[in-house]
Amino acid sequence: MAKINFGGVVEDIVTREEFPLEKARQVLADQTIAVIGYGVQGPGQALNMKDNGLNVIVGQRKGKTYDKAVADGWVPGVTLFEIEEALEKGTIICYLLSDAAQIELWPTVKKYLTAGKSLYFSHGFGITYKEKTGIVPPADVDVFLAAPKGSGTSLRRLFVAGKGLNSSFAVYQDATGKAREKCIAMAIGVGSGYLFETDFYKEVTSDLTGERGTLMGAIQGIFAAQYEVLRENGHSPSEAFNETVEELTQSLMPLVAENGMDWMYANCSTTAQRGALDWWKPFRDATKPVFAQLYNSVKTQAEAERSITLNSQPDYRVKLDAELKEMADMEMWRAGAAVRSLRPENN
Ligand SMILES: NC(=O)C1=CN([C@@H]2O[C@H](COP(=O)(O)OP(=O)(O)OC[C@H]3O[C@@H](n4cnc5c(N)ncnc54)[C@H](O)[C@@H]3O)[C@@H](O)[C@H]2O)C=CC1
Ligand SMILES: CC(=O)[C@](C)(O)C(=O)O
Ligand SMILES: [Mg+2]
Ligand SMILES: [Mg+2]
């Protein structure tokens, strides 16, 4: 593994140079990789693995998503099957149903996990919370995860563009002595850039914190707060949206992605630099207690409990859609739709 210094802490990283695609192909040559579920991660991972020359089949129940798999080029009876058939044919089972659905389908999956097969996850959820999920794999199968750090949609887009999303990987159970190399080969196969090692507990704990925090929950909260203050003080929706979201996503975050926050700062006015240098600490101090509360809620499994309970209800989709619509209907995001429609490339 490559030793990389991350801001003073040296970590072991797996890169595509030391574990090239060719090696992944060799490790997985005799495997039938069955991707179970074709939601968000399913398509990204399955298509990337197929394009990487791996032997992939998809298992998906009939319906709209099955039709999408057909439209993506999976052939019924050849590379696309009902879930149980794919479970039977697969030697590496990629369990890519939603975390709640994994609980429901587990008794079925377990039946097909015969000795020597592998069970692959993209999240530490099912295993870490096994008291709640009931997901306890047989002792004679390998169990590991590769978790792309981003949406399955981005995983596919970046792969097609010749780039790669970073993923974490972890081995939970090594029954064959080959779990680790299979795990790394899968992580490379799904189109990862570089890989960093973790364990199932740390993966799920950091992931749940991140998505509830800066990646999704906190960012929406901070956007809403600033937008509201601007509006309450007489600024127009377009002005409030541009100063809260549009400039960030279109201009400033790409600079952060390219060269870091200091470089983005360095490319803004001295006036902006002065103010932003003064204000980031009060924002940190105001939000840190909320992040501590969030981490605790993840650690005590309150977040897992809530997610399992609410996402397992039969009407969860209807309720979810209603909540997402409520967000879409916020003035801020309706203003955003108008702003996006005015981008030159959308005209
Ligand atoms: N969404 C994402 O981009 C990311 C997801 N993950 C993880 O990847 C795994 C898969 O997540 P997503 O792709 O978001 O899942 P998803 O919510 O898109 O659902 C995947 C599939 O589950 C199927 N499904 C749902 N309920 C079912 C049931 N009762 N019986 C049979 N099939 C059912 C759906 O038809 C769909 O094909 C999860 O462990 C998730 O935490 C990890 C990184 C990012
Ligand atoms: C995209 C991702 O990695 C998330 C936000 O953790 C998820 O979809 O669960
Ligand atoms: Mg994540
Ligand atoms: Mg997540």
Side-chain angles (χ1 to χ4, degrees):
M1 302 217 282
K3 292 217 177 297
I4 305 288
N5 186 328
F6 288 91
V9 179
V10 177
E11 294 184 41
D12 290 321
I13 295 300
V14 179
T15 64
R16 291 200 229 179
E17 282 74 57
E18 69 185 281
F19 204 104
L21 182 56
E22 203 37 57
K23 187 164 167 192
R25 287 195 187 120
Q26 279 163 20
V27 170
L28 300 171
D30 301 330
Q31 305 286 341
T32 299
I33 302 163
V35 172
I36 307 301
Y38 206 73
V40 182
Q41 279 298 316
Q45 296 195 21
L47 290 167
N48 289 359
M49 285 193 285
K50 185 173 102 175
D51 290 349
N52 273 335
L54 301 176
N55 179 23
V56 189
I57 61 173
V58 171
Q60 170 63 36
R61 61 181 176 183
K62 289 262 166 66
K64 229 168 65 186
T65 312
Y66 184 95
D67 299 340
K68 179 181 181 289
V70 174
D72 283 352
W74 302 98
V75 183
V78 183
T79 53
L80 175 62
F81 302 92
E82 288 281 354
I83 289 178
E84 286 211 37
E85 217 181 330
L87 285 169
E88 196 190 342
K89 290 189 190 315
T91 55
I92 297 181
I93 306 300
C94 301
Y95 208 15
L96 297 182
L97 298 183
S98 70
D99 297 303
Q102 287 179 20
I103 300 172
E104 195 188 317
L105 210 77
W106 176 247
T108 307
V109 172
K110 203 174 170 181
K111 277 196 305 198
Y112 293 96
L113 289 175
T114 49
K117 281 197 185 187
S118 303
L119 178 62
Y120 164 103
F121 292 90
S122 283
H123 204 2
F125 197 101
I127 293 282
T128 302
Y129 305 126
K130 55 181 182 293
E131 281 81 19
K132 298 183 201 298
T133 65
I135 298 179
V136 180
D140 52 7
V141 303
D142 291 341
V143 182
F144 45 81
L145 70 74
K149 294 291 118 183
S151 169
T153 304
S154 330
L155 183 71
R156 180 62 182 164
R157 281 186 192 167
L158 288 168
F159 178 84
V160 170
K163 302 176 185 171
L165 211 57
N166 306 315
S167 302
S168 60
F169 73 98
V171 175
Y172 175 71
Q173 192 166 284
D174 185 5
T176 65
K178 300 218 159 102
R180 194 182 158 82
E181 68 171 15
K182 275 193 265 179
C183 177
I184 294 174
M186 287 292 294
I188 295 290
V190 300
S192 308
Y194 75 82
L195 312 176
F196 59 97
E197 191 159 12
T198 186
D199 59 43
F200 276 58
Y201 171 80
K202 285 207 173 109
E203 195 285 330
V204 71
T205 308
S206 59
D207 191 85
L208 295 187
T209 302
E211 68 203 13
R212 281 156 181 71
T214 57
L215 305 178
M216 296 170 69
I219 196 84
Q220 164 66 9
I222 285 191
F223 283 170
Q226 174 169 305
Y227 184 91
E228 282 170 23
V229 169
L230 286 168
R231 289 288 287 133
E232 283 156 17
N233 285 281
H235 297 269
S236 68
S238 68
E239 186 161 69
F241 188 83
N242 274 300
E243 284 301 342
T244 303
V245 180
E246 189 74 354
E247 180 170 337
L248 181 70
T249 61
Q250 299 304 295
S251 162
L252 302 183
M253 272 301 150
L255 298 182
V256 177
E258 217 176 297
N259 261 318
M261 191 65 91
D262 55 318
W263 193 69
M264 185 269 266
Y265 273 40
N267 282 279
C268 289
S269 66
T270 51
T271 308
Q273 287 167 8
R274 182 67 267 133
L277 285 166
D278 290 342
W279 277 93
W280 78 263
K281 287 175 186 168
F283 278 110
R284 177 196 57 194
D285 296 346
T287 57
K288 198 167 170 187
V290 186
F291 284 104
Q293 198 185 335
L294 160 61
Y295 192 85
N296 192 52
S297 186
V298 173
K299 200 171 157 188
T300 58
Q301 305 194 2
E303 294 302 310
E305 183 66 45
R306 186 170 158 75
S307 165
I308 290 169
T309 310
L310 295 176
N311 291 345
S312 298
Q313 283 167 15
D315 63 345
Y316 108 92
R317 234 314 128 200
V318 180
K319 286 189 175 145
L320 172 73
D321 288 345
E323 279 185 84
L324 291 178
K325 185 170 184 306
E326 202 179 301
M327 187 182 279
D329 285 345
M330 288 172 73
E331 184 195 273
M332 177 169 68
W333 290 113
R334 283 188 288 123
V339 168
R340 289 193 297 278
S341 76
L342 292 170
R343 286 183 199 153
E345 69 271 26
N346 292 339
N347 276 307

